[in-house]
Amino acid sequence: MIEITSLSQPGVDIFSTLTEAQLRNRLEPEKGLFVAESPKVISVALNAGYEPLALLCERKHITGDAADIIARCGDIPVYTGDRDLLAQLTGYTLTRGVLCAMRRRPLPSVEEVCRDARRVVIIDGVVDTTNIGAIFRSAAALGIDGVLITTNSCDPLNRRAIRVSMGSVFLLPWTWLDGPATTLHQFGFRTVAMALTENSVSVDDPVLVSEPRLAIIMGTEGDGLPQQTITSADYVARIPMAHGVDSLNVAAAAAVAFWSLRAH
């Protein structure tokens, strides 16, 4: 246990001064870190085999909500202090009083994510961390086998994305997709772009549901999918709407699409 007495305490920069980009460490991914928040989420990460490096814990939770996590993490530093000081350090009030800095793992290849999958989602240009987390949570719950993310999207191991997903980012294989969605054709996938166009079919169309391997493409929050992505997709699908509503938030739309297009 290491008592924090000032905001410049050595060793706590992981939780305070390092930006998400610095934690991710694009130049040396093998040295990248992320921060998981709350005992439940940290537990999911530990169960998935992620290595803990340090804990930041509100003093009153050491023998309470965080006790099991501290015991599971073994011989690593546990920085602790009062609630107000920790909030000043991190810039936000800790959820359930505990953060865990963990080491990132090498990501699988696109081929590895697709190898045994029947349903994958391609997240294209989604930059809101809340939406990324919600999409991962729905994907894990509703039968998606893997996630591919375009490089102009938000990092799934962003602290807020992890928390919103309730740790679901640790349950599914995922990786970055550098090329177009049509790349998945070589792995036996057909693609369906979720978009409002004149030739969109209903998301519960039997032809879509019967596809043995399907990649569902979800677009950015404001503009949706690029026209080239829509044009090159094997199918274009929409969610039927009522009362003049034209669309749903991308996270809500993803949940509907995952349920409707799940493999049978």
Side-chain angles (χ1 to χ4, degrees), residues 106-227:
L107 291 175
S109 66
V110 173
E111 180 180 7
E112 288 171 327
V113 171
C114 293
R115 182 174 296 146
D116 298 318
R118 299 177 64 192
R119 295 290 186 268
V120 299
V121 58
I122 299 175
I123 301 176
D124 189 335
V126 176
V127 296
D128 183 274
T129 55
T130 299
N131 284 335
I132 289 285
I135 291 171
F136 262 88
R137 188 173 185 181
S138 294
L142 300 175
I144 298 299
D145 303 310
V147 182
L148 302 170
I149 310 171
T150 61
T151 53
N152 60 339
S153 297
C154 173
D155 178 17
L157 294 186
N158 171 283
R159 178 187 62 84
R160 183 170 176 79
I162 293 171
R163 181 163 64 84
V164 172
S165 81
M166 291 302 294
S168 295
V169 295
F170 308 124
L171 301 179
L172 291 176
W174 67 271
T175 197
W176 300 103
L177 179 66
D178 289 324
T182 51
T183 301
L184 272 65
H185 286 161
Q186 63 183 299
F187 306 122
F189 279 85
R190 304 271 277 177
T191 59
V192 53
M194 297 301 299
L196 299 173
T197 66
E198 292 183 359
N199 62 337
S200 297
V201 299
S202 176
V203 73
D204 58 355
D205 189 293
V207 174
L208 295 176
V209 176
S210 66
E211 283 287 352
R213 309 191 89 183
L214 194 63
I216 305 163
I217 314 172
M218 305 300 305
T220 184
E221 295 89 345
D223 299 327
L225 291 169
Q227 186 57 48

